[in-house]
Amino acid sequence: MEFKLSEEQLMIQQAAKDFAQNELLPEVIERDDAQKFPTQQIKKMGELGFMGMMVNENYGGSGLDTLSYVLVMEELSKVDASASVVVSVNNSLVCWGLETYGTEEQKQKYLTKLASGEIIGAFCLSEPEAGSDATSQKTTAIDKGDHYILNGTKNWITNGSTAEVYLVIAQTDVEKGHKGINALIVEKGMEGFEIGPKENKLGIRGSDTHSLIFNDVKVPKENRIGEDGFGFKFAMKTLAGGRIGIAAQALGIAAGAYELSKKYAKERKAFGTEIANHQAIAFKLADMHTKIQAARHLVYQSACDKDNGDDYTLSGAMAKLYASEVAMETAVEAVQIHGGNGFVKDYHVERMMRDAKITQIYEGTSEIQKIVISRSILKD
């Protein structure tokens, strides 16, 4: 299938590319070293409309399609995956969930600020004992009539300390299993809500990842998203779209590593000629380019499925699975092509290799994607 981008989509893609080169590339290495959150860059992306791309303009968003969002994610991720994951979480996991399932009051109170980039959000599902097995929630939200009392711990939370709004998945009725889980909107500053230590990570080090602790946090009943017991379905439906964003991030990491490798191979000389002229290197570049193009088609297809109102569970899982594998493989080969230079920070590819790994883990591991894919293709 040919994906012919519209003039508007091409303009959005170019705007993201220019921003990545002019605003993200400077000091990206320093931010990675210091684990520094890209505060000013995120603010500017909010001004550009990147933080609520698919949200209706009535709620402060850009009102764009999923493919445009994917194009932006790809370009940002070519340069700085730490910044792009903030965009992904805010768009795919927080804004989309609120706009799709939130009440009008919730949208007016929270979505407008999130979509405009005035504030950012976080999605809180994972726990110390509930990662891939999302039904094993230990965090509880006890129904007290007009409010819930929230207790428990969430971990690996992107935007953990920088968010102002948190969508928290918690168990209300253990006897009902996954049908007794709810999704609650928690605000920073609520009494009993504490932010744990920052994680010292292998990659995406500019993104702030924390554990969150809830000790008898009183959450108003009007902060529940959807009907009682809808929380697990809410999480799964939200993550299905989130996979598209992370697939686009993985695609961008792979494409960025490939572009740097091609440029390096055409400049670096060995045995009297540019290393691109050596078949060993040329074939690596050929494999990288081919796999990236295949991944791009899968990612774009999943975005189009979502835009067309088709079921994107299968296409999103395939895109996420394959793009993340290509990202890891391409980044490793990029380091190899750069030789000794690839092992030092100045050439960027070692950071891309570290960043690529997480795309095979978060928002559903590669193993979980294979479960989703296999169930989908075998259910008939």
Side-chain angles (χ1 to χ4, degrees), residues 173-245:
D173 191 335
V174 177
E175 293 183 357
K176 292 183 179 179
H178 72 277
K179 294 183 179 180
I181 293 173
N182 280 308
L184 305 177
I185 303 170
V186 177
E187 300 176 24
K188 179 181 282 184
M190 283 184 169
E191 187 176 353
F193 175 24
E194 301 175 13
I195 297 170
K198 186 175 184 177
E199 301 292 350
N200 187 8
K201 305 186 300 266
L202 171 73
I204 57 167
R205 288 167 60 81
S207 162
D208 67 312
T209 305
H210 292 256
S211 292
L212 305 177
I213 302 97
F214 305 97
N215 293 309
D216 290 334
V217 179
K218 184 177 179 181
V219 183
K221 186 67 71 72
E222 59 263 28
N223 281 29
R224 186 185 70 206
I225 301 174
E227 297 298 320
D228 186 31
F230 182 65
F232 182 75
K233 279 190 176 180
F234 171 80
M236 294 303 101
K237 288 178 180 293
T238 302
L239 286 173
R243 290 177 188 137
I244 299 175

Side-chain angles (χ1 to χ4, degrees), residues 264 334-336 338-345 347-351:
Y264 184 83
V335 172
Q336 190 71 18
H338 281 74
N341 287 328
F343 209 65
V344 298
K345 295 182 181 296
Y347 288 79
H348 297 285
V349 290
E350 66 85 28
R351 171 172 47 83

Side-chain angles (χ1 to χ4, degrees), residues 17-37:
K17 183 176 182 177
D18 291 342
F19 181 85
Q21 291 297 319
N22 297 328
E23 300 290 343
L24 293 180
L25 185 57
E27 299 183 357
V28 65
I29 295 173
E30 290 78 6
R31 289 197 300 275
D32 177 74
D33 276 343
Q35 301 188 65
K36 181 181 178 182
F37 188 80

Side-chain angles (χ1 to χ4, degrees), residues 87-108:
V87 175
S88 178
V89 168
N90 207 69
N91 275 278
S92 296
L93 302 186
V94 182
C95 286
W96 185 85
L98 278 173
E99 184 173 28
T100 306
Y101 299 109
T103 65
E104 184 61 28
E105 290 75 19
Q106 290 169 349
K107 294 175 187 178
Q108 293 292 342

Side-chain angles (χ1 to χ4, degrees), residues 287-324:
D287 285 340
M288 293 161 78
H289 179 71
T290 300
K291 291 176 181 179
I292 289 168
Q293 284 295 91
R296 182 171 285 119
H297 275 256
L298 282 171
V299 175
Y300 287 13
Q301 182 63 61
S302 64
C304 289
D305 285 347
K306 188 169 184 288
D307 286 333
N308 294 334
D310 298 329
D311 186 357
Y312 52 89
T313 304
L314 174 59
S315 61
M318 290 193 300
K320 204 268 190 185
L321 171 65
Y322 188 70
S324 63

